[in-house]
Amino acid sequence: NALVYISSGTGEKREYTYRELHEEVNAFAGALKELGVSRGDRVVMYMPMMAEAVFAMLACVRLGAIHSFVFRGCAVGYLAHRIDDAEPKVVVTADYDMSGADAIPCKKFVDAGLDAARFAPGHVIVCRRGSGGSMPMTGGRDLDYADLRERYIGCEIPVEWVESSHPIYILHTSGTTGSPRLVQRDTGGHAVALTTSMRHVFAAKPGETMFAASGASDIGWVVGHSFIVYGPLLCGMASVVYEGLPARADPGVWWRIVEEYGVNTMLTSPTAIRALKKHGFEHMSGHDTSSLRNLFLAGEPPDKRTSLRVSESLGVAVRDTYWQTETGWPILRERSPEPEDEPLEAASFGFPCPGFDVRTVDRESGEEVPAGESGVLAIGPPLPPGCADAVRSNERFIKTYFSDFPRGLYSTFDWARRDEMGRYIVLGRANDVIKTPGQSFGTREIEEAINDHENVEEAAVVEGVASAITAYVVLDDGDTVENEASRTAVEREVKDAVERKVGTAARPDEVRFVSDLPRTRSGKMLHRCIRAIAAGREPGDISTIKNPEALEAMRSARPPMIPEKAEVIEHKGGKE
Ligand code: AMP
């Protein structure tokens, strides 16, 4: 197989061999070509996790066109902006997204986006899910993919050969440091990078099966682009495209998929694992998951306690990978994905992946800091294949990523520490670093200490008013602590734990209990917004936020306390 498509929402299960995938890609390419798409043209995609999304992406590549995914659930204005940005010949969408409890109308949303956009693409292709509901179609513009497919299935559409530097796609980052940034990737370097990473980062082999499961691994995010579509297919593997949320109705669904399709390699996010954890760990051991060699995580610092429990329940190694939309593939990974190698402690220290010249540097001078000290994670030139290219303006690209430090160092805008063995741990965004007189802490350092508390589900730590260290804590039962006495007890224990494990300087000035923390739609904690709220400012660009109500709740989670701290320290470094 090349593709296994499973949807919990529609109940569909489809399998495609490489031959069949080739036919489907040609059919989609035929449809796009009929609508005037050719080399260099943009195609905007607003698609759920469905096989047709893969066909459409690969059809663009076949024609030398550039796909631009827009994340589902964004505001109408955001979609309109992306359409105006890309000026696409065609927009591809579906009638509904069926991943959750309710079907979400994608096409209706695209209609609203097109109404708000200045640029009008020639056509909208709609892939129907068979939901049977009425679907307003604009005559002359909107086309049903089933009709187009019928015309082109069985046709061979000639490949448009392109230079290695020809753009393959554009995509936005998740916006954890500010507004989402536009990233463009080339065709040749991307193929080299992903082929390399399948083999040397994920230890995956042709003929095996890869399952990048929901969370950040949505097809519309970089994780999905790289490891649902391009990576496994370049490697000759079968890739599982699964539409659904394991937390709904059936928390064991992932492990059933692993059993049924003999999945060897999985990739998911700490957020998705956290959601699974809510249903206990029993559902992980009731299936035959012996085919699975590795469960990789990406996108956020993993929660050590949960990773260990998952690893024990499944009997596989849970391994962290650290990377960015800009790089397209892992920068850091745990030493070796081969199971016979000694497992590393679940502290997520990682070695640089081949091609990445990683350093931790002083945020002011750009000089390398010694092992054991923290600094900004930077990458020495040249970046390896697959990393982002300048979009439109070289000047802007250089200014954004290469101007913070001398000697052409690329800034990841992350804060990290190297140990004596040359392994790195990523401690959070450099902008979110908590500065106390004499010492700086990455958000993760303090948050991990809090997360170790048995009643804590998750925590976010920020510098609030007058540099007060403020910890927002979600408790395990998902609710705020009602009882004042137990609240005071947990508050004290949390503060003591930080003092014991991290140091007196890191002790939170205040602990506020909340029922949720703001995250991007790809599952990343929005520290910059939490920091703004804690400091009584507006949260800034929230176009990628998943749960804006969490921000609202935070505003009312007790008025900020102003501690008696002599020194107010300004944030420096990184870009917002
Ligand atoms: P994005 O903007 O979506 O590309 O997010 C990339 C950012 O996510 C990185 O720069 C890190 O801040 C964070 N990140 C990704 N993976 C990890 C990880 N394994 N551990 C810690 N942070 C991570």
Side-chain angles (χ1 to χ4, degrees):
N1 275 340
L3 220 58
V4 174
Y5 164 58
I6 306 156
S7 169
S8 290
T10 64
E12 281 171 288
K13 270 186 187 179
R14 290 190 247 148
E15 292 178 38
Y16 297 87
T17 62
Y18 270 86
R19 176 83 241 159
E20 288 161 347
L21 175 61
H22 177 82
E23 281 171 15
E24 295 294 344
V25 171
N26 271 278
F28 220 113
L32 290 174
K33 198 171 176 185
E34 174 184 312
L35 304 178
V37 174
S38 64
R39 184 191 183 101
D41 287 338
R42 274 81 51 214
V43 174
V44 163
M45 308 199 31
Y46 187 83
M47 296 282 281
M49 293 280 280
M50 61 193 293
E52 283 74 7
V54 181
F55 308 155
M57 287 164 88
L58 298 180
C60 288
V61 181
R62 195 167 183 86
L63 298 174
I66 302 162
H67 59 75
S68 169
F69 249 93
V70 181
F71 68 88
R72 296 191 307 291
C74 60
V76 167
Y78 184 91
L79 174 61
H81 198 203
R82 297 300 156 236
I83 291 169
D84 288 337
D85 246 14
E87 302 194 342
K89 277 255 164 72
V90 173
V91 175
V92 184
T93 189
D95 48 0
Y96 292 99
D97 174 336
M98 312 283 283
S99 56
D102 303 311
I104 302 164
C106 296
K107 165 67 165 56
K108 238 168 133 178
F109 192 81
V110 166
D111 285 342
L114 288 168
D115 283 346
R118 273 176 287 114
F119 182 84
H123 294 283
V124 176
I125 297 180
V126 186
C127 301
R128 290 187 189 259
R129 320 295 306 276
S131 49
S134 71
M135 174 67 46
M137 298 285 272
T138 303
R141 186 195 74 181
D142 299 350
L143 300 158
D144 194 323
Y145 180 62
D147 300 334
L148 293 163
R149 180 182 180 275
E150 211 163 286
R151 280 217 286 285
Y152 290 100
I153 194 79
C155 295
E156 183 85 13
I157 306 299
V159 171
E160 176 74 19
W161 294 103
V162 296
E163 308 74 39
S164 137
S165 58
H166 183 79
I168 186 167
Y169 68 74
I170 51 178
L171 187 67
H172 280 82
T173 65
S174 61
T176 47
T177 54
S179 293
R181 297 193 195 103
L182 183 60
V183 165
Q184 175 173 294
R185 217 175 290 296
D186 70 359
T187 306
H190 177 244
V192 169
L194 292 185
T195 309
T196 306
S197 63
M198 292 315 295
R199 208 158 291 174
H200 299 290
V201 179
F202 297 108
K205 297 178 186 74
E208 294 189 340
T209 303
M210 170 114 185
F211 178 19
S214 58
S217 311
D218 189 276
I219 201 159
W221 297 109
V222 71
V223 189
H225 279 42
S226 293
F227 298 114
I228 293 175
V229 185
Y230 293 104
L233 295 177
L234 281 161
C235 183
M237 300 176 78
S239 179
V240 177
V241 179
Y242 168 63
E243 181 186 49
L245 304 171
R248 187 168 72 99
D250 180 7
V253 64
W254 282 5
W255 319 115
R256 248 185 311 104
I257 292 175
V258 170
E259 179 170 358
E260 195 171 343
Y261 294 97
V263 172
N264 310 102
T265 304
M266 272 187 83
L267 172 64
T268 187
S269 60
T271 317
I273 292 285
R274 224 180 348 258
L276 278 184
K277 187 181 82 168
K278 291 202 173 126
H279 299 270
F281 292 89
E282 304 73 47
H283 59 85
M284 295 188 185
S285 36
H287 300 274
D288 178 4
T289 52
S290 55
S291 59
L292 196 61
R293 273 201 313 274
N294 287 302
L295 173 59
F296 291 95
L297 299 178
E300 271 207 299
D303 157 17
K304 207 158 60 177
R305 247 190 327 148
T306 311
S307 293
L308 281 173
R309 283 296 305 274
V310 171
S311 183
E312 280 163 18
S313 306
L314 288 175
V316 299
V318 176
R319 296 169 196 276
D320 188 27
T321 65
Y322 156 82
W323 47 299
Q324 307 184 299
T325 306
E326 286 88 342
T327 62
W329 62 296
I331 303 169
L332 300 174
R333 51 109 202 244
E334 290 185 23
R335 179 166 27 199
S336 166
E338 298 296 349
E340 59 269 20
D341 285 353
E342 160 207 7
L344 295 171
E345 64 269 37
S348 298
F349 275 94
F351 282 102
C353 291
F356 287 98
D357 176 8
V358 175
R359 327 200 182 150
T360 32
V361 300
D362 181 89
R363 71 193 316 161
E364 304 294 344
S365 67
E367 293 304 322
E368 211 163 338
V369 297
E373 281 182 26
S374 308
V376 178
L377 195 77
I379 305 171
L383 295 178
C387 293
D389 278 343
V391 193
R392 292 188 203 110
S393 150
N394 276 336
E395 215 172 293
R396 192 150 131 219
F397 183 59
I398 291 167
K399 187 159 177 279
T400 306
Y401 295 107
F402 299 91
S403 64
D404 277 6
F405 308 117
R407 296 180 297 280
L409 287 181
Y410 166 91
S411 177
T412 62
F413 308 122
D414 284 318
W415 191 248
R417 192 167 57 231
R418 178 169 54 91
D419 72 1
E420 295 291 348
M421 287 172 67
R423 304 178 304 178
Y424 292 81
I425 184 165
V426 179
L427 302 170
R429 285 298 202 179
N431 268 327
D432 300 326
V433 160
I434 291 158
K435 290 185 164 187
T436 65
Q439 222 178 332
S440 295
F441 301 96
T443 46
R444 176 182 184 170
E445 295 175 88
I446 306 178
E447 286 163 8
E448 264 183 4
I450 300 177
N451 286 338
D452 273 348
H453 189 288
E454 58 174 355
N455 299 121
V456 170
E457 164 78 28
E458 55 176 345
V461 176
V462 293
E463 227 178 81
V465 172
S467 302
I469 301 178
T470 308
Y472 289 90
V473 174
V474 179
L475 293 167
D476 254 340
D477 60 8
D479 226 327
T480 49
V481 184
E482 297 297 342
N483 174 315
E484 193 60 39
S486 59
R487 174 142 100 174
T488 312
V490 176
E491 192 170 332
R492 200 189 48 245
E493 284 159 14
V494 158
K495 288 180 176 176
D496 289 350
V498 174
E499 188 162 345
R500 206 170 49 248
K501 291 175 184 165
V502 192
T504 311
R507 186 181 173 93
D509 294 294
E510 198 184 5
V511 175
R512 297 189 207 171
F513 294 103
V514 289
S515 55
D516 203 4
L517 293 168
R519 289 185 178 274
T520 64
R521 292 201 164 262
S522 59
K524 289 172 206 284
M525 191 105 76
L526 276 163
H527 281 97
R528 69 172 167 85
C529 299
I530 303 173
R531 180 152 52 83
I533 297 286
R537 288 185 277 113
E538 283 307 306
D541 187 330
I542 54 165
S543 57
T544 60
I545 198 170
K546 184 179 182 188
N547 51 348
E549 63 287 352
L551 277 183
E552 274 318 305
M554 250 173 202
R555 278 190 223 271
S556 51
R558 267 208 252 169
M561 181 199 74
I562 304 184
E564 288 171 13
K565 276 195 178 167
E567 208 173 338
V568 178
I569 298 146
E570 263 185 17
H571 273 282
K572 270 183 156 183
K575 291 192 165 59
E576 293 206 32

